[in-house]
Amino acid sequence: MISNISYVKEALGELKAKKKYGQNFLIDSNIVDKIARNACDADLTTIEIGPGLGALTEMLLKYSRDVEAYEIDKDMYEILTRNISDERLHVYLQDFLDADLSRYTEKVNICANLPYYVTTPILFKIFESGLDINRITVMVQKEVGDRLSAQTGSEDYGALSIEVQYLYEVRTEMNVSRKVFYPEPKVDSAIISFKPIRERNREFEDGFFTLVKNSFRMRRKTLYNNLKDLYDRRAIEKMYRDLNLDGNIRAQQIDLDTFIEIYKELGK
Ligand code: SAM
């Protein structure tokens, strides 16, 4: 079992966990098993980002048809390919942000204990890829998890929450203590899963996500003030009347369905 402290220390040997790559290794095999069991299907490929020493990889192999893993750090790549020999595992020594995902034509699962410094770009790369996704399961910092699953009116609710919740059913599977990592990070984490709920429509999404981002441009301003210079004023006023919106409403008070209605009224 890779996910235990003595294995991790021995595998690292002289090496130190690299902060610049967000290296915090999982050392609790119960947690790792739980993540992998939820994330995988026996007849599907799982894509892993940042396999590191292989704690999660080992379990993903147990529950998936095969595993495609992307690792940026050559030291990790060498340890991993030396210590796990399974022909169902393919490891790429590559920054995931540069990975060509068009090679995957079948439905896939995605699972990762994400490096903290690059969580949002990685998530957006996945969301905006044309991948046919069955399920995404990722470990993220708790505060990122809070933003992803935030509900209307809460402090964490913003453009990221709306975009993600438009595309996926987002669930916090469990909160995870910082104690299950080596080295121990300064914050706790959460396992979040995403299940697609929409037919993708690029043109609609581009316009809709732009409207959402514009609506949150200045959080303290009213929706009207954030939109008034970007969209036709008469269309905005008609939209307020049609949807019966209070003139002082702010973006964080508006739910996803109402945002969709607003977009339909204002168009691009
Ligand atoms: N999966 C291992 C585990 O759970 O023990 C390691 C997780 S560690 C939080 C993040 C891993 O992502 C590290 O192995 C790091 O080298 C790798 N990594 C960091 N940035 C990356 C990137 N842009 N593309 C691919 N891998 C990356």
Side-chain angles (χ1 to χ4, degrees), residues 2-3 8 18 20-27 32 48-57 70-73 76 92 94-98 112-118 122 139 181-182:
I2 295 177
S3 48
V8 166
K18 298 187 182 87
K20 69 167 177 176
Y21 288 144
Q23 290 177 352
N24 299 97
F25 303 103
L26 277 162
I27 51 168
V32 177
E48 184 185 10
I49 301 120
L53 298 168
L56 185 56
T57 320
Y70 292 84
E71 174 56 59
I72 200 170
D73 181 6
M76 292 301 122
Y92 301 88
Q94 189 178 28
D95 182 337
F96 180 73
L97 295 177
D98 297 332
N113 170 17
L114 287 175
Y116 294 153
Y117 77 102
V118 72
I122 288 178
M139 175 93 76
F181 301 95
Y182 174 83

Side-chain angles (χ1 to χ4, degrees), residues 55-71:
L56 185 56
T57 320
E58 172 180 64
M59 294 293 180
L60 296 177
L61 280 165
K62 185 169 157 193
Y63 296 114
S64 313
R65 185 182 66 194
D66 46 30
V67 174
E68 298 265 312
Y70 292 84
E71 174 56 59

Side-chain angles (χ1 to χ4, degrees), residues 34-62:
K34 214 177 225 168
I35 304 172
R37 200 188 283 266
N38 262 317
C40 304
D41 291 85
D43 56 349
L44 294 183
T45 296
T46 302
I47 299 176
E48 184 185 10
I49 301 120
L53 298 168
L56 185 56
T57 320
E58 172 180 64
M59 294 293 180
L60 296 177
L61 280 165
K62 185 169 157 193

